[in-house]
Amino acid sequence: MKFRINTAMKPIAQRLLITCLASLASMAYAMELRGDFTQGSLIRGKVEPGTAVFLNDTAVAVTPAGDFAIGFGRDAQLSHDLVTKQSNGVELHHTIELTPRTYNIQRINGIAPEIMQPSAENIARAQKDAVMVAEARAVASSRTDFLTDFIWPLTGRITGVYGSQRVYNDQPRRPHFGIDIAAPTGSNVKAPADGVVSLWVPDMFFSGGTMVIDHGYGVSSSFLHLSAALVEVGDEVSQGQAVAKVGSTGRSTGPHLDWRINWFAERLDPATVVGDMPNH
């Protein structure tokens, strides 16, 4: 049996919990989705155990308890088909509608020419760095830390936001995919959720000291421009634990933390998983 249910979301600014109910013969079916239904968002969902989930015809990993995560990038299309298939053959289609976003343009001058025009050697180094980061973000572990409410890894003045496009020395560059938080060098960076350290490299060309923490089912946090690590690859970390130190390594104009969230290769907005920045 196949059914189609439209669960289109109205434009909203706050997180919400949506429960879709459908009567299927003598049984009730339920699916929960929570998150900011916008471009750049991480959505966490729950279905009946044993239910298969597909996003735009691609299978989504589901925990034994029926939990899953999906993510939508900066310029994601606004309409998506989420399909659930139960073990009894019932198939339901849910239309997810995202709210479009507009992004800031930031202009930064005075970047050193050697950073603006890296050598062939440094380009090769950056490509190698990118492969390591991509491999860490591709980890599909069975951890369920992604289900918890995330916290800010650092409190401070926000100097860069997700999705903004930076123009260095009047030359447009790739959009920014994280949140920049200014803080003195050596300030503690805390784990925003439980997880395991899947990558630590102290000297990547663009991002300098770079750490990735796996939160399970493709959800990961990345910390860039670090001056030091307080944990090692393979270490399990707890939410709120100091894991690294703020720095200004790599391509950086001053000490700050660049915090990023991914769902596999999809680059998401960390602001969609935390509340307002605490007072500092």
Side-chain angles (χ1 to χ4, degrees), residues 143 194-199 211-214 230-238 241 243:
R143 302 185 65 90
D194 291 356
V196 62
V197 180
S198 55
L199 179 73
M211 179 178 291
V212 178
I213 296 178
D214 168 36
L230 302 177
V231 291
E232 299 179 351
V233 172
D235 285 353
E236 291 195 2
V237 298
S238 300
Q241 176 184 343
V243 296

Side-chain angles (χ1 to χ4, degrees), residues 104-122:
N104 295 332
I105 302 298
Q106 299 179 351
R107 299 182 179 276
I108 300 176
N109 295 316
I111 303 298
E114 60 269 22
I115 294 181
M116 290 296 299
Q117 298 177 335
S119 65
E121 178 182 0
N122 284 332

Side-chain angles (χ1 to χ4, degrees), residues 3-4 21 23 36 63 67 98 105 132 134 163 179 181 241-242 244 256 261 277:
F3 299 83
R4 178 172 289 276
L21 298 176
S23 175
D36 289 345
T63 73
D67 298 294
L98 303 178
I105 302 298
M132 287 190 286
I179 293 179
I181 308 168
Q241 176 184 343
H256 72 284
I261 291 281
M277 171 70 75

Side-chain angles (χ1 to χ4, degrees), residues 115-138:
I115 294 181
M116 290 296 299
Q117 298 177 335
S119 65
E121 178 182 0
N122 284 332
I123 290 175
R125 175 184 167 193
Q127 291 172 339
K128 182 180 178 180
D129 294 341
V131 170
M132 287 190 286
V133 172
E135 289 176 348
R137 290 172 173 167

